[in-house]
Amino acid sequence: MSFCKFSPSFTTKAQTMVDNAFILDYLPKAPDLCVKAYLLGLLKCNSGDSEDNTIEFFSKTLKVCADDVISLFKYWEEEGLVQVLSTDPVEVRYLPIQTSASIKKFKVDKYNDFNIQVQELFGKRMIMPNEFAEFYFLIETKHMEERALLQIIKYCVEYKGFNLSPNYVLTVARDWERQGIHSLKQVTEKISELGEVDDNMTLILDAMGSKRKVQLEDKELLNKWLTGFGFEMNVIIYVVKLIKNKKRRLDVNVLDEYLSRYFEMKLMSIQEIEGYEKEKENMYFIAMAVNKELGIFYEDLTKEIDTYVVAWINMGFDIDTLKLVADNCFKSSIRTLDGFNNIIVKLFKLGITNTNSYLKYMSDNIATDNRIKAVLVALGLNRNVNNMDRNFFKIWSSDWGFSDEIIMYGATLSANKANAIQYLNKILSNWNSEGLKTIDKVKLDSVKPEEKQEFIHNNYTKTEIASFLTNLDEVEV
């Protein structure tokens, strides 16, 4: 519930701003119902209130069926004022009205031949001055060749027919211009590239059970799937059949959603996608189990599965290991998916993906922390082990090669000094520089104790587990 909101009476008396460009350039030639739909949608955009912002409300208010409401916004989509992002559920995004062309005054006489050719291509559909101005803007400001624009118009008319809106052509031209297409040669190459996908797109539509003609938008999508994403045709056809088997509504936009998601998850082959779909139920239980251990809850697990669980499974982790790590994270106050995932990624980099290797690594680290703790006690320091202590101990034992006995002997000599750790570092540094690497050379009449065998166990305290997981922060990802 919103903390603050307008009352219904306040909203009724409020105002909705309408761009002058809409009134002057678009309203005069738009069908009445289209204007009503646009203004009603603008009201809902400005109100910031989701109440009654539904297709049912639009249908009831405009006294038309739901499909007609979508058609009304499709009109504005062709005019370049909105984007129909989805038709099930319906989602419409309002776009800023293009006014850039109207700002600059063009010498229309220089475009007489161009104007005649444009009008001939559109047939009986009269081109308005503001629409011609948009073409001039592309030529003079974006440096598109006149012949390139004429070829784009011709190409769009062949696919949409003479009834298409000039704004549809302008949308295509602007999109291609953003792709760096400015010359007739580049336009011809683009059209040739799109032409090569006709047969493939027909195969996809046939697999969907659709008998409609291939549209320019279909070609752009297929180019995205094949070239942008890098999918093979057999993979795309497989995904079509997969969606059909799920008894879901199927169109090119739904197919694009599936392929985009698979691409984001790096699932590029039939085998990988098939494995993911088969494992999806198992991934659901994994997500539930991890969330339970972390003490969090999400009603919809789809995003969590796609973002995290797929990666964990691909790394080689099983549910038991993930539950164990999640339980340890909870005990260490790491209770978010991002925090847990950070630990998992670090473990993977260390080559630790199963319970045994995890427990062994934990045991080794905690055993090392216990050795360091003994040194701190000998120094007279009553505190927990920190990363500075671990770094020093690694240098003493691994880099300098001192045994625990030598380190402990040095600790007894440094006990209760003003800065015990600093004093111990000096002593050990001197012994290292003098080559005193045995206890005999630093201490007389002392026998080295036998090392005690440690066995792996899982009965650790919360402090020990927290200390262990904190130690992982030193692992770079």
Side-chain angles (χ1 to χ4, degrees):
M1 179 180 294
S2 300
F3 179 65
C4 296
K5 63 187 297 186
F6 290 124
S7 68
S9 59
F10 189 102
T11 303
T12 303
K13 292 182 177 298
Q15 298 176 338
T16 298
M17 299 297 293
V18 182
D19 199 307
N20 286 339
F22 174 80
I23 297 173
L24 296 173
D25 299 333
Y26 294 91
L27 186 147
K29 57 184 175 61
D32 292 346
L33 269 178
C34 290
V35 174
K36 292 179 181 178
Y38 182 87
L39 294 176
L40 186 58
L42 194 63
L43 167 67
K44 289 301 177 183
C45 288
N46 289 328
S47 69
D49 191 351
S50 61
E51 185 178 355
D52 287 335
N53 196 355
T54 64
I55 192 168
E56 290 78 15
F57 173 78
F58 277 71
S59 178
K60 179 180 178 181
T61 304
L62 299 176
K63 296 181 175 56
V64 296
C65 68
D67 287 342
D68 286 341
V69 173
I70 296 174
S71 297
L72 296 175
F73 282 107
K74 284 287 187 181
Y75 170 85
W76 292 117
E77 183 175 45
E78 289 202 349
E79 292 291 316
L81 298 193
V82 305
Q83 277 184 308
V84 180
L85 299 179
S86 172
T87 56
D88 186 16
V90 178
E91 184 178 355
V92 178
R93 176 180 296 168
Y94 274 60
L95 303 175
I97 296 178
Q98 298 289 337
T99 58
S100 53
S102 59
I103 296 174
K104 181 177 180 179
K105 299 298 182 181
F106 298 99
K107 296 180 180 179
V108 181
D109 291 344
K110 67 183 287 190
Y111 292 110
N112 281 338
D113 291 340
F114 175 78
N115 293 349
I116 293 171
Q117 294 179 72
V118 170
Q119 188 60 70
E120 287 178 349
L121 288 171
F122 276 98
K124 295 180 180 179
R125 168 65 163 86
M126 294 301 297
I127 311 302
M128 305 298 290
N130 64 297
E131 293 166 341
F132 273 122
E134 291 287 353
F135 287 118
Y136 306 154
F137 177 80
L138 284 170
I139 294 169
E140 296 200 7
T141 305
K142 298 299 182 178
H143 310 295
M144 288 193 77
E145 293 181 1
E146 291 183 30
R147 295 181 304 165
L149 275 173
L150 291 170
Q151 189 64 32
I152 291 174
I153 297 170
K154 180 180 178 182
Y155 180 69
C156 291
V157 169
E158 288 176 354
Y159 270 91
K160 287 288 187 179
F162 290 112
N163 293 324
L164 89 163
S165 163
N167 275 291
Y168 177 86
V169 178
L170 287 164
T171 299
V172 173
R174 292 187 193 106
D175 181 52
W176 289 12
E177 187 278 326
R178 283 191 291 269
Q179 296 176 38
I181 298 173
H182 298 88
S183 67
L184 176 61
K185 180 183 178 182
Q186 290 172 317
V187 169
T188 303
E189 289 173 351
K190 175 70 174 179
I191 292 173
S192 176
E193 175 187 303
L194 293 174
E196 292 175 359
V197 306
D198 269 2
D199 292 341
N200 285 334
M201 196 65 221
T202 299
L203 288 175
I204 293 173
L205 292 176
D206 287 344
M208 289 181 178
S210 173
K211 301 301 181 184
R212 68 172 176 79
K213 182 181 177 182
V214 176
Q215 300 294 319
L216 177 57
E217 293 84 351
D218 300 330
K219 294 184 174 189
E220 293 284 7
L221 279 176
L222 184 56
N223 191 50
K224 168 187 171 183
W225 302 334
L226 293 175
T227 305
F229 289 167
F231 284 110
E232 299 288 340
M233 268 298 296
N234 63 328
V235 176
I236 299 174
I237 296 296
Y238 170 81
V239 175
V240 170
K241 295 177 180 178
L242 179 70
I243 300 172
K244 289 178 71 175
N245 290 336
K246 289 175 177 287
K247 308 296 183 183
R248 277 207 56 182
R249 179 183 62 84
L250 178 57
D251 59 29
V252 292
N253 292 320
V254 172
L255 177 58
D256 183 54
E257 290 174 11
Y258 270 77
L259 291 173
S260 297
R261 187 164 69 249
Y262 291 146
F263 174 72
E264 289 172 1
M265 293 187 291
K266 305 298 186 293
L267 305 175
M268 303 300 295
S269 68
I270 291 177
Q271 292 80 4
E272 290 169 323
I273 294 171
E274 186 177 38
Y276 164 76
E277 292 295 336
K278 286 182 179 179
E279 286 287 332
K280 204 164 188 179
E281 185 175 352
N282 181 46
M283 291 179 186
Y284 174 86
F285 288 118
I286 289 175
M288 289 286 290
V290 168
N291 290 354
K292 181 179 179 182
E293 298 297 337
L294 290 175
I296 58 179
F297 173 78
Y298 294 105
E299 186 172 347
D300 185 2
L301 299 174
T302 303
K303 185 175 181 180
E304 178 179 346
I305 290 172
D306 292 348
T307 304
Y308 297 111
V309 181
V310 172
W312 301 337
I313 296 300
N314 287 338
M315 290 177 192
F317 288 93
D318 57 55
I319 188 170
D320 292 332
T321 306
L322 291 169
K323 285 173 63 178
L324 175 60
V325 178
D327 175 64
N328 289 172
C329 285
F330 179 83
K331 291 174 180 176
S332 305
S333 298
I334 300 173
R335 299 173 184 177
T336 66
L337 282 174
D338 282 341
F340 173 73
N341 182 66
N342 190 41
I343 295 295
I344 290 297
V345 171
K346 289 178 178 179
L347 289 171
F348 174 70
K349 186 170 183 179
L350 292 169
I352 299 168
T353 60
N354 59 58
T355 301
N356 284 337
S357 61
Y358 176 72
L359 289 175
K360 184 179 185 307
Y361 183 69
M362 180 189 294
S363 176
D364 291 345
N365 274 264
I366 291 176
T368 300
D369 271 11
N370 288 337
R371 291 162 63 195
I372 300 172
K373 180 67 175 179
V375 174
L376 295 179
V377 171
L379 289 169
L381 300 175
N382 184 23
R383 61 171 175 78
N384 291 328
V385 177
N386 59 39
N387 285 332
M388 181 186 71
D389 302 328
R390 296 184 185 101
N391 290 334
F392 285 150
F393 192 81
K394 179 179 179 297
I395 293 171
W396 302 335
S397 60
S398 298
D399 297 349
W400 294 351
F402 288 124
S403 66
D404 284 13
E405 188 176 12
I406 294 178
I407 296 171
M408 287 296 292
Y409 180 66
T412 60
L413 298 178
S414 308
N416 300 317
K417 299 294 183 183
N419 193 328
I421 289 287
Q422 183 183 43
Y423 195 90
L424 177 57
N425 263 317
K426 283 184 176 181
I427 290 176
L428 294 177
S429 177
N430 288 336
W431 289 345
N432 181 58
S433 63
E434 293 172 7
L436 304 179
K437 297 294 184 176
T438 66
I439 192 66
D440 294 335
K441 292 182 179 180
V442 297
K443 175 185 174 186
L444 297 175
D445 300 325
S446 178
V447 179
K448 182 179 179 182
E450 292 185 6
E451 296 182 357
K452 182 180 178 182
Q453 179 66 41
E454 296 283 347
F455 293 94
I456 296 175
H457 61 87
N458 190 28
N459 298 319
Y460 299 114
T461 65
K462 291 182 180 180
T463 301
E464 289 174 327
I465 293 171
S467 177
F468 160 69
L469 291 177
T470 301
N471 191 22
L472 279 176
D473 287 338
E474 297 304 299
V475 180
E476 294 183 0
V477 178

